[in-house]
Amino acid sequence: MVHEQRSRGRLSRSSDTRDTTDMSRLLAPRLAHFAGVARTEHVTRAAQEMQVPQSTLSRAMVRLEQDLGVDLFARHGRTVSLTPAGRTFLASVERALAEIERAADEVRADADPATGKVAFGFLHTMGAETVPGLLHAFRADHPRIRFSLVQNYGEAMLERLRAGELDLCLTSPVPDAPDLVARRLDEQKLRLVVPADHRLAGRRRIRLAEAADEMFVTLEPGYGLRRITDDLCAQAGFKPRVAFEGEEAETLRGLVAAGLGVALLPPPAFPRPGVVELSVTAPKAAREIGVAWLAGRPDTPPVTAFKKFLLSKRGSLLPT
């Protein structure tokens, strides 16, 4: 079916992205008006329903047709009917308007103080015990707030924070960046984990320098705990010889249990057979845990409530 083309001037149909953007800006404000007229097939009635002056609505429909270069309506006195082009356009407009309404409902729901959503990121090592405990305690007073949870390493979470995909994240080290706000919440001791049959397994404490000749298993570069491990070994006067690199602390414990090296790790959620965990007396082996968010971004009520809750946990964030 061939649509009748108007001879009046219209925007170029170039594939250039700028032309597409310009057309969208022109059409968007008039789509709801078009749908209202198409639904009632009467400009006066549509104007009354939408509480828009009839003259304004009539001009908007004429301008819409001019911009498209296509007749959308056939006029019959005070009534109108859709042309074939108008019916084709209406189907897409109704889908677009329904999607806009769905998106509006979603963002309103996410911001609802009682039932809204918090996008929360945290380190893998926080996932087994710390975060479940936090969420359980928070939901005692906010039982219907929903969470979108993301486990990742620190730098990846900060990237998602900057991209607007996360509202808050628990991370280590605590970031120091002009576009972020970060607050220290707690400190977690790190231990030197050795195989159960290791020469040092009978010890309870150790100076890290005593492990200078050991092979280490560590997280991959870019992980906060890897950076802390490298820094602590440097303070102890050596560069760790790395046998294996991984992405998750409990995997490293398994490698240690298999006799493949030693590791500097936070305490496990549950004791792991096959390894012995030694306190490190020098240098001070610990990592700071903090919460971070994007500076200057307004919070929804659910995010405000959870942020306040996290900040109230200073010094008591981690299980004892």
Side-chain angles (χ1 to χ4, degrees), residues 224-245:
L225 188 55
R226 171 61 180 272
R227 187 159 66 250
I228 292 169
T229 295
D230 290 344
D231 289 346
L232 289 173
C233 290
Q235 291 178 48
F238 69 96
K239 181 177 181 179
R241 296 186 300 152
V242 177
F244 292 92
E245 295 174 332

Side-chain angles (χ1 to χ4, degrees), residues 14-15 33 37 55 76 87 92 144 151 200 207 211 222 284:
S14 163
S15 61
H33 289 167
V37 174
S55 59
H76 313 285
R87 285 194 295 273
S92 294
R144 298 169 64 196
Q151 287 180 274
L200 298 172
R207 292 179 296 107
K284 180 182 178 181

Side-chain angles (χ1 to χ4, degrees), residues 48-119:
Q48 291 171 345
E49 288 184 2
M50 291 184 286
Q51 298 182 336
V52 177
Q54 179 179 334
S55 59
T56 300
L57 193 58
S58 296
R59 286 195 300 270
M61 293 305 95
V62 171
R63 184 60 186 273
L64 178 61
E65 291 177 313
Q66 289 175 343
D67 289 338
L68 287 172
V70 176
D71 287 314
L72 301 175
F73 298 103
R75 274 75 175 174
H76 313 285
R78 295 185 178 182
T79 63
V80 295
S81 61
L82 287 170
T83 65
R87 285 194 295 273
T88 298
F89 190 56
L90 177 62
S92 294
V93 167
E94 287 180 331
R95 287 195 297 271
L97 293 175
E99 182 63 18
I100 291 170
E101 184 62 27
R102 184 202 63 77
D105 289 343
E106 183 176 334
V107 296
R108 284 195 294 262
D110 287 349
D112 185 275
T115 62
K117 185 174 74 173
V118 179

Side-chain angles (χ1 to χ4, degrees), residues 213-284:
D213 294 332
E214 300 292 333
M215 298 299 297
F216 277 72
V217 295
T218 70
L219 296 180
E220 294 178 348
Y223 283 69
L225 188 55
R226 171 61 180 272
R227 187 159 66 250
I228 292 169
T229 295
D230 290 344
D231 289 346
L232 289 173
C233 290
Q235 291 178 48
F238 69 96
K239 181 177 181 179
R241 296 186 300 152
V242 177
F244 292 92
E245 295 174 332
E247 297 181 344
E248 208 276 323
E250 287 311 301
T251 299
L252 299 187
R253 266 195 179 82
L255 295 174
V256 173
L260 300 175
V262 303
L264 275 169
L265 296 173
F270 307 99
R272 171 112 189 199
V275 300
V276 173
E277 313 218 353
L278 310 179
S279 297
V280 179
T281 58
K284 180 182 178 181

